[in-house]
Amino acid sequence: SDIKLVRFLGARDKGNFENEISWCKKNEMDQVSMRNDYITAAFVKSVHDAGMQFGAWTVDDKSKAADLLLMGCDYITTNKEMW
C-alpha cells in the first residue's frame, strides 16, 4: 500500500516507549514520530532496528533539528516555512 502508518508518541506514552515499539510492529506501523524533547539516540536506534522510520515533531529551532538528524531521525515536522 502507498499509505504510510505513523504512530505518534508524546507525554502520555512517557516511560512506556519501548513497549510502543512492540505495539507498532504488531500493528504494522511504518513510522514512529515523537515529540522532540523525549527523543534519545538509543530510542531512534531501537525504532530503526525494528524496521521503521523515525521522525520528530514539532521542531522549530534549526540547531535542535540538526541535533535530531545527527541522532538518526529520518524526518522533522516543523512550523517553519524555510530555514
Side-chain angles (χ1 to χ4, degrees):
S1 168
D2 291 336
I3 296 173
K4 300 293 182 199
L5 300 176
V6 181
R7 175 76 167 163
F8 287 87
L9 302 177
R12 74 171 190 274
D13 307 299
K14 193 172 182 182
N16 197 34
F17 292 142
E18 292 300 324
N19 290 333
E20 288 293 330
I21 293 173
S22 296
W23 185 92
C24 289
K25 292 242 349 148
K26 184 176 108 183
N27 290 282
E28 300 179 4
M29 297 285 122
D30 299 296
Q31 303 171 356
V32 173
S33 189
M34 182 183 282
R35 188 171 133 176
N36 75 84
D37 50 343
Y38 297 132
I39 296 170
T40 65
F43 188 72
V44 174
K45 183 180 181 329
S46 294
V47 171
H48 285 153
D49 288 350
M52 295 174 282
Q53 289 188 318
F54 188 87
W57 54 271
T58 301
V59 184
D60 292 335
D61 178 77
K62 188 176 184 177
S63 66
K64 177 71 172 180
D67 290 344
L68 291 166
L69 291 172
L70 287 173
M71 280 190 223
C73 288
D74 298 299
Y75 60 92
I76 302 283
T77 302
T78 184
N79 291 313
K80 298 289 185 181
E81 291 182 28
M82 183 183 284
W83 280 321

